[in-house]
Amino acid sequence: MEETRDGLKAGAVFYYADEFNVSWLPTLRKMWSPKGQQAMIPTPGQPKVHYGLGAVNYHTGETVVIIRRRKRRKEVAELLEALLEKHPQETIYIAWDNARTHQDEEIEAIVRAAAGRLILLYLPTYSPWLNPIEMLWRHFRREVTHCELFLTLKDLISASYDFFNYYNQVPDKTLSLIGAIPK
């Protein structure tokens, strides 16, 4: 089979994947304000957290993201199924960390069912700097959750999906964020 210039076989796609928190409690960051006036950011009475599970195509900048109440093996399996559905013919390479939720019978069952089309690559433990998707998560937090309180958790989740939908429309920006060079 013919290889592309980056060493992948023709008909293959390469994703970096990971999870991120979607917390209703706003994260506070430095910000400009008039001298002597501190900005006040309201917070909800009871902070609630959901989790995003996502993957970014290192060559096209396109993302696949799901947001759920938990980040268990079931949700990780759901992300893998979404990637297989998105690429019904291609071989999918996924690089991600060694989280326990990435390695069990449920995940192995999906890999086996994909019949060689799903290849999981594990990055070394405690090395987030090796996963470029971390830069996308950082930008997401800066753009969506830093110093921002949404009236409801539903509004926060909607704004989160809007962020990823926007960046799927401008994949070159995503590629720039993760440090990839467009083909």
Side-chain angles (χ1 to χ4, degrees), residues 125-143:
T125 305
Y126 303 113
S127 56
W129 61 90
L130 294 177
N131 193 341
I133 203 168
E134 295 290 348
M135 299 307 294
L136 182 60
W137 299 161
R138 180 180 294 163
H139 191 70
F140 161 77
R141 287 188 297 275
R142 188 178 308 131
E143 292 291 317

Side-chain angles (χ1 to χ4, degrees), residues 49-69:
V49 177
H50 275 53
Y51 300 94
L53 297 94
V56 61
N57 186 315
Y58 191 71
H59 298 107
T60 68
E62 191 171 15
T63 61
V64 174
V65 174
I66 61 173
I67 298 173
R68 300 292 183 263
R69 287 180 184 240

Side-chain angles (χ1 to χ4, degrees), residues 6-7 21 45 99 102 176:
D6 54 12
N21 293 344
H102 297 169
S176 176

Side-chain angles (χ1 to χ4, degrees), residues 103-117:
Q103 304 173 32
D104 81 332
E105 302 84 35
E106 193 169 351
I107 304 305
E108 285 301 316
I110 292 171
V111 171
R112 281 192 302 279
R117 290 192 323 102

